């Protein structure tokens, strides 16, 4: 999971008592009474059983479940075995993806500086950085950093002209912002840089060390540092020559992994409700909230539907995506593999990426697809209203696995409990929790373990998931002329 932006311009509150007593969320969808048995069956204890299994797998396989690793393969086998045993038709869809792995933490130290050397905070390697151990002078590039002054928007390194006076052989010091990391690195490489150090913007919350990803492998080491360290380097380089040592030890290349796709045996195959969550973690940790939580909730929902012998009007398909953390590779591959006819059969896509954040919110994806997404959003919002839990909309950006479907015009929706964003005072009043603290301080870190999961968040969000899955699975959909899709009609039309 990268980041999903929040929008608290509209907030759901409890509805009138008469509406609650009716318990019907729509004349065309399942009622609260209809979904109550499934919601009661999808228990927090059962979801935690799966989360503990993912934790155990990570513990036995280098501390993570990243795509292309044994930890991911065992996680996929765990999911697939249980779904097969429950009666689902399970397929493993293989694909290739760009792989990056740090062999050792990066090192950035000052070897020579005028006066006292600047203090350097945490250093983080950007994914697809090159590898190397170099000693060279540090050269600022249109940095725009004045120690003690407020930071302003930067175009540092975004134009080749920024490097007009750059000394070949030096390490480029640039600032984050305006253009992609890849552009800055390519410009630095063309100017003869031997490494790149990227300073955070220093604007708003963007002050600490950060993780980033290049869009293509680099030939030189690339790291990110916090803004305060950038201020120190700016002052030191203004006073004289600063020599540094920069070391990155990593490997990259192409690897193979797979999605786990499970389909129920009943329901109209011309109206498929696809329920998805990514299964991979980042290499930094076991990924129990991001996104063992989403995967565990939809797994248990699928198992309980089968256990109860639920026959749905529409076909349910559960997808556990691989390589989400390296650019939504698994879900993009899946969408690209579908014919126009196959894609047109998918009536709605639900995506669940982080449902157990310790300082959680109940965020509902805002509709961003041309048809049907607003109805999915309404099902979630009405559900939370009916059970008297506050929920708020979130602007679902392009950083999770619903995005490839939305781009094709498929109706999408989902839930999210928050990641590195800080909880606002308004959110704390709505959800409880600690204002000013991140929703998940362990996002993309080694501490994203079972101990990081908020049990109440799992209980509340899993109930909402179970309700929406069953409501959409039983919803009447308009008939489609699928013959038109075979001849190039717009998918979903």
């Amino acid at each position: 999971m990268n980041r999903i932006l929040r929008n608290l311009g509209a907030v759901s509150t409890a509805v009138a008592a008469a509406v609650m007593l009716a318990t019907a969320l729509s004349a065309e969808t399942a009622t609260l009474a209809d979904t109550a048995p499934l919601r009661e069956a999808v228990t927090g204890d059962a979801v935690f059983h799966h989360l503990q299994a993912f934790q155990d797998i990570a513990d036995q396989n280098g501390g993570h479940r990243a795509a292309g690793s044994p930890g991911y393969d065992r996680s996929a086998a765990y999911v697939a075995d249980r779904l097969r045993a429950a009666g689902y038709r399970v397929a493993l869809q293989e694909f290739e993806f760009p792989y990056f792995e740090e062999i050792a933490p990066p090192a950035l130290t000052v070897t020579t500086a005028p006066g006292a050397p600047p203090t350097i905070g945490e250093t983080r390697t950007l994914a697809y950085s090159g590898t190397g151990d170099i000693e060279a002078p540090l050269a600022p590039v249109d940095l725009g950093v004045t120690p003690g002054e407020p930071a302003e928007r930067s175009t540092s390194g975004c134009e080749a002209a920024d490097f007009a006076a750059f000394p070949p052989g030096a390490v480029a010091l640039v600032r984050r912002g305006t253009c992609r990391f890849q552009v800055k690195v390519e410009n630095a490489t063309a100017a003869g840089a031997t490494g790149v150090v990227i300073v955070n913007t220093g604007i708003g919350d963007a002050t600490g060390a950060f993780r980033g990803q290049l869009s293509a492998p680099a030939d030189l080491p690339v790291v990110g540092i916090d803004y305060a360290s950038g201020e120190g380097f700016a002052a030191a380089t203004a006073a004289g020559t600063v020599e540094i040592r920069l070391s990155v030890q990593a490997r990259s290349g192409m690897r193979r992994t797979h999605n786990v796709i499970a389909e129920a045996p009943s329901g109209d195959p011309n109206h498929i409700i696809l329920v998805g969550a990514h299964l991979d973690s980042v290499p930094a940790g076991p990924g129990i909230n991001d996104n063992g939580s989403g995967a565990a909730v939809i797994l248990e929902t699928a198992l309980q539907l089968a256990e109860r012998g639920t026959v749905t009007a529409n076909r349910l398909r559960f997808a556990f995506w691989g390589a989400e953390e390296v650019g939504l590779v698994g879900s993009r591959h899946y969408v690209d593999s579908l014919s126009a006819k196959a894609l047109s059969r998918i009536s709605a896509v639900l995506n669940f990426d982080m449902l157990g954040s310790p300082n959680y919110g109940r965020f509902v994806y805002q509709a961003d697809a041309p048809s049907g997404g607003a109805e999915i959003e309404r099902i979630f919002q009405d559900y939370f209203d009916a059970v008297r839990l506050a929920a708020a909309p979130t602007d679902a950006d392009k950083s999770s696995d619903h995005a490839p479907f939305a781009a094709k015009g498929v109706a999408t929706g989902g839930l999210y409990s928050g990641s590195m964003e800080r909880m606002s005072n308004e959110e704390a009043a709505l959800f409880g929790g600690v204002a000013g603290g991140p929703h998940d301080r362990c996002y993309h870190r080694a501490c994203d373990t079972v101990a990081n999961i908020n049990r109440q968040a799992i209980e509340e969000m899993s109930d909402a998931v179970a309700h929406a899955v069953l409501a959409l699975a039983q919803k009447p959909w308009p008939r489609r002329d699928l013959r038109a899709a075979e001849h190039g009609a717009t998918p979903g039309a």
Side-chain angles (χ1 to χ4, degrees):
M1 166 72 188
N2 293 317
R3 188 173 181 176
I4 295 181
L5 305 175
R6 295 163 299 174
N7 179 356
L8 294 178
V11 175
S12 175
T13 57
V15 296
V19 176
M20 291 186 60
L21 289 173
T23 72
L25 300 185
S26 166
E28 293 187 343
T29 59
T31 67
L32 288 180
D34 293 333
T35 65
L38 178 61
R39 287 185 281 118
E40 291 169 4
V42 179
T43 66
D45 286 344
V47 172
F48 261 76
H49 175 81
H50 303 311
L51 293 176
Q52 186 61 58
F54 294 148
Q55 179 72 63
D56 293 343
I57 288 169
D59 291 344
Q60 296 161 13
N61 291 276
H64 65 85
R65 302 179 303 104
S69 73
Y72 178 82
D73 292 344
R74 285 194 57 193
S75 297
Y78 174 88
V79 168
D81 289 348
R82 279 146 188 81
L83 290 168
R84 285 195 188 98
Y88 288 88
R89 294 192 294 271
V90 178
L92 303 183
Q93 183 189 40
E94 289 196 351
F95 59 90
E96 198 171 53
F97 72 101
Y99 183 81
F100 176 81
E101 180 182 21
E102 276 192 279
I103 300 169
L108 176 61
T109 56
V110 175
T111 58
T112 303
T119 301
I120 303 173
E122 185 180 4
T123 303
R124 295 181 176 177
T125 305
L126 270 69
Y128 303 112
S129 164
T131 190
D133 189 346
I134 57 175
E135 293 189 15
L138 185 67
V141 178
D142 190 24
L143 199 61
V145 172
T146 302
E149 296 292 327
E152 297 182 354
R153 182 179 170 87
S154 170
T155 61
S156 172
C158 292
E159 303 291 339
D162 293 343
F163 294 84
F166 186 80
V171 172
L173 181 68
V174 301
R175 188 149 66 100
R176 184 182 185 183
T178 307
C179 64
R180 295 180 295 115
F181 297 132
Q182 188 72 26
V183 172
K184 299 175 189 286
V185 171
E186 288 177 355
N187 286 335
T189 302
T194 54
V196 178
V197 176
I198 304 177
V199 180
N200 210 344
T201 67
I203 300 172
D205 290 338
T207 58
F210 62 93
R211 296 191 185 278
Q213 179 175 308
L214 304 176
S215 54
D219 294 326
L220 42 72
V222 184
V223 298
I225 61 172
D226 62 282
Y227 185 76
S229 297
E231 287 184 304
F233 276 132
T237 54
T241 299
V242 175
E243 297 270 348
I244 65 166
R245 178 189 171 220
L246 174 61
S247 177
V248 170
Q249 301 300 319
R251 62 169 68 96
S252 59
M254 300 300 292
R255 290 193 177 181
R256 296 193 70 80
T257 190
H258 49 271
N259 298 318
V260 180
I261 311 295
E263 188 152 321
S266 68
D268 182 358
N270 291 327
H271 288 291
I272 294 168
I273 309 303
L274 191 151
V275 184
H278 77 85
L279 188 56
D280 61 316
S281 75
V282 294
I288 302 305
N289 189 30
D290 184 17
N291 182 40
S293 61
V297 168
I298 71 166
L299 173 60
E300 186 58 23
T301 302
L303 295 179
Q304 290 304 322
L305 283 164
E307 175 70 20
R308 297 181 55 78
T310 307
V311 177
T312 58
N314 307 307
R315 182 69 55 89
L316 279 169
R317 183 178 294 167
F318 293 88
F320 299 79
W321 307 116
E324 186 270 356
E325 295 289 5
V326 294
L328 318 183
V329 181
S331 55
R332 292 187 194 280
H333 175 80
Y334 179 80
V335 171
D336 290 344
S337 74
L338 297 176
S339 66
K341 180 178 180 180
L343 186 61
S344 75
R345 287 178 166 144
I346 300 176
S347 297
V349 170
L350 297 179
N351 185 61
F352 302 106
D353 194 347
M354 302 181 67
L355 299 180
S357 304
N359 196 28
Y360 72 102
R362 291 177 289 271
F363 298 111
V364 177
Y365 289 11
Q366 285 188 311
D368 59 358
S371 73
E375 183 168 4
I376 298 172
E377 180 184 359
R378 179 182 55 77
I379 287 173
F380 281 119
Q381 291 282 11
D382 286 354
Y383 167 78
F384 282 122
D385 284 342
V387 298
R388 294 189 175 186
L389 290 174
T394 183
D395 292 330
D397 67 7
K398 298 178 180 179
S399 65
S400 196
D401 290 302
H402 61 287
F405 295 93
K408 295 289 188 179
V410 180
T412 62
L415 298 177
Y416 172 59
S417 59
S419 60
M420 60 187 173
E421 316 94 333
R422 294 190 178 276
M423 179 175 278
S424 68
N425 290 331
E426 184 180 10
E427 290 168 355
L430 283 174
F431 309 127
V434 180
H439 291 294
D440 184 356
R441 66 179 182 82
C442 290
Y443 173 70
H444 283 189
R445 297 175 61 193
C447 59
D448 187 9
T449 65
V450 288
N452 187 47
I453 294 291
N454 186 307
R455 181 63 171 262
Q456 188 63 29
I458 289 292
E459 295 278 2
E460 294 172 0
M461 298 296 246
S462 62
D463 280 351
V465 170
H467 172 82
V469 168
L470 189 53
L472 286 168
Q474 302 293 29
K475 174 185 166 14
W477 295 85
R479 290 189 63 186
R480 287 201 190 101
D481 183 1
L482 294 179
R483 293 172 297 176
E486 292 183 89
H487 294 88
T490 302

